[in-house]
Amino acid sequence: MRLIEISDRHIKDVTMFLIQNKLIFHPKISPEGTPDFTNYYGRDYILILDRNILTKLIELCIQGTLNDNYLLKVVGSIMFWAEFNGVRITAGIALNEYAYNLKDNLKASKENNIFLEIFDFYSPLQWLDLALGVKNTIPPITLSKDLNSYTFNVENDHYKMHYAEMLHITLLLADQQLNNTEKMIEFIKWNNDNLLFCQYTLIYACLLFSRKIKQINIKQTDEIFKKCRNQAWDLTYLSFWSTLYWEDSESNEVFLFGTMDKDLKRIFITTHEVNKNPFVECFGEDKGIKIHKEFQKIISNRVKPHISEDYLNRLIEIEEKNLIKVIV
């Protein structure tokens, strides 16, 4: 075993960069992007990377550098921090997104082969040099074995649910007869009738309809479905991750999430703000209280719909047709 000596100052510099840029999240450990592992010591930590970070990590390892020094620091800091703290990294959801969008496993398999080799090919010092800006290159990776094939292009019920949600949210955005408060209430009604509720989707809808997050340009008709799919994947990361962290206070495995997407961070942070009503935070007191009362009324005596793959496929087909009628 080779011992590596790293100064406390360098460790602090990397940690402060991650904190200042809010890159690591967990509802209890890091609800605002500032990790605090109190009451979670001695666990087995696993960091889920989103597609944006994974793409830059793979690109860096193939080319040996990136054309953006900030992204070099992001990737280097995350990789050093994870290795130094014994945090395992997984990219399964990001590879699922890649393969699903391409309808092909080949390129995702290639990325996974590279990803699996990264941890043996590079040393923590190489990541540290990138994180500190000492260097801006690493050796391009050389795979040590033949490429293995993997299956990542699989149906994802979380994604399908969120894609249906995004189609209906976009349909409501295009409705000129409803104001933003009414659009939020109509979405809650539709969600109640058709799908399970996802806290992250509700917050996204709040932020979108109150114009506190990047808007969907409904005039770019050729881009609308692509934007719906992209946002559905963002919500998929959060909702799937929530099934892993939900009871991790009693589990040895604790799942963290790494992202540099500003909107995704805003959704997560707003969702986990303690003692704050998101409807009031987004729409103001009068409108927010009105929406909150309507929400409580709508979900009272709720009968959850039975969700199946066929059900989701039919719902998506209906929502796509409805949206086409409006935007064409």
Side-chain angles (χ1 to χ4, degrees):
M1 177 183 293
R2 186 166 67 97
L3 296 179
I4 299 174
E5 184 175 342
I6 301 171
S7 73
D8 290 342
R9 181 173 63 83
H10 289 163
I11 296 170
K12 182 178 179 180
D13 288 344
V14 172
T15 304
M16 290 305 299
F17 177 83
L18 292 174
I19 290 173
Q20 290 167 359
N21 289 275
K22 299 183 183 299
L23 297 170
I24 309 294
F25 291 88
H26 183 276
K28 297 289 180 63
I29 295 169
S30 187
E32 296 182 355
T34 305
D36 178 1
F37 290 89
T38 304
N39 299 324
Y40 274 84
Y41 291 123
R43 309 292 185 87
D44 184 9
Y45 295 102
I46 302 165
L47 177 63
I48 301 169
L49 296 183
D50 76 352
R51 182 66 203 162
N52 290 336
I53 292 178
L54 179 65
T55 297
K56 293 306 174 184
L57 173 61
I58 298 296
E59 181 182 337
L60 169 62
C61 294
I62 291 174
Q63 299 181 356
T65 191
L66 298 172
N67 59 3
D68 186 313
N69 288 332
Y70 172 74
L71 292 176
L72 283 170
K73 287 179 69 67
V74 167
V75 174
S77 296
I78 289 175
M79 295 301 292
F80 171 77
W81 178 84
E83 290 207 31
F84 180 79
N85 290 286
V87 176
R88 287 186 285 149
I89 298 179
T90 180
I93 307 176
L95 292 167
N96 181 202
E97 175 187 357
Y98 189 42
Y100 189 86
N101 287 337
L102 293 176
K103 304 301 179 188
D104 178 41
N105 285 305
L106 186 60
K107 290 184 178 180
S109 290
K110 181 180 178 180
E111 282 198 358
N112 194 44
N113 278 280
I114 294 170
F115 177 75
L116 293 175
E117 293 272 328
I118 285 171
F119 304 95
D120 291 327
F121 192 83
Y122 298 104
S123 76
L125 285 179
Q126 288 172 306
W127 299 124
L128 180 61
D129 284 344
L130 294 179
L132 298 175
V134 175
K135 294 183 179 178
N136 59 9
T137 62
I138 55 175
I141 195 166
T142 302
L143 298 182
S144 63
K145 56 186 177 182
D146 294 333
L147 295 180
N148 293 322
S149 296
Y150 301 90
T151 301
F152 290 105
N153 181 25
V154 294
E155 298 289 347
N156 187 312
D157 286 349
H158 280 263
Y159 165 76
K160 286 189 172 184
M161 178 182 73
H162 293 309
Y163 181 50
E165 291 168 344
M166 284 308 306
L167 291 169
H168 196 76
I169 285 173
T170 306
L171 182 67
L172 288 171
L173 273 179
D175 192 332
Q176 300 297 315
Q177 297 182 354
L178 299 176
N179 62 40
N180 288 336
T181 302
E182 292 168 335
K183 289 177 182 181
M184 187 67 218
I185 294 172
E186 284 302 312
F187 175 69
I188 293 170
K189 290 178 179 178
W190 176 89
N191 201 157
N192 183 69
D193 292 339
N194 292 280
L195 291 170
L196 304 177
F197 276 104
C198 171
Q199 60 182 343
Y200 295 116
T201 301
L202 281 177
I203 296 302
Y204 172 74
C206 281
L207 292 168
L208 187 71
F209 289 136
S210 63
R211 307 188 69 83
K212 290 180 169 56
I213 205 168
K214 185 178 180 181
Q215 298 293 293
I216 299 173
N217 188 345
I218 57 176
K219 295 181 180 180
Q220 294 178 328
T221 55
D222 57 333
E223 290 289 315
I224 284 180
F225 290 101
K226 179 181 178 181
K227 290 181 182 297
C228 286
R229 288 191 290 269
N230 289 342
Q231 187 58 49
W233 274 112
D234 282 350
L235 293 169
T236 297
Y237 283 99
L238 296 179
S239 68
F240 180 79
W241 173 38
S242 72
T243 67
L244 301 175
Y245 73 60
W246 194 254
E247 296 182 343
D248 67 12
S249 60
E250 305 298 327
S251 172
N252 185 53
E253 288 189 332
V254 177
F255 288 85
L256 310 169
F257 179 56
T259 183
M260 54 183 174
D261 186 285
K262 292 181 180 178
D263 286 351
L264 208 50
K265 294 179 187 181
R266 182 79 181 271
I267 295 166
F268 182 82
I269 292 171
T270 303
T271 300
H272 295 285
E273 284 182 322
V274 179
N275 300 324
K276 288 188 178 181
N277 185 316
F279 299 126
V280 174
E281 289 296 307
C282 291
F283 291 91
E285 187 169 356
D286 291 341
K287 293 178 181 178
I289 290 174
K290 177 183 178 181
I291 295 171
H292 180 77
K293 288 181 178 179
E294 285 294 322
F295 175 69
Q296 294 298 325
K297 179 181 176 181
I298 291 167
I299 66 172
S300 63
N301 301 317
R302 169 170 162 76
V303 178
K304 295 180 181 179
H306 175 68
I307 308 296
S308 66
E309 185 177 343
D310 288 340
Y311 176 87
L312 288 173
N313 288 338
R314 288 195 302 270
L315 183 61
I316 287 171
E317 184 179 356
I318 291 169
E319 293 300 322
E320 284 182 336
K321 287 180 179 179
N322 289 339
L323 186 55
I324 289 172
K325 290 177 184 177
V326 172
I327 64 177
V328 173

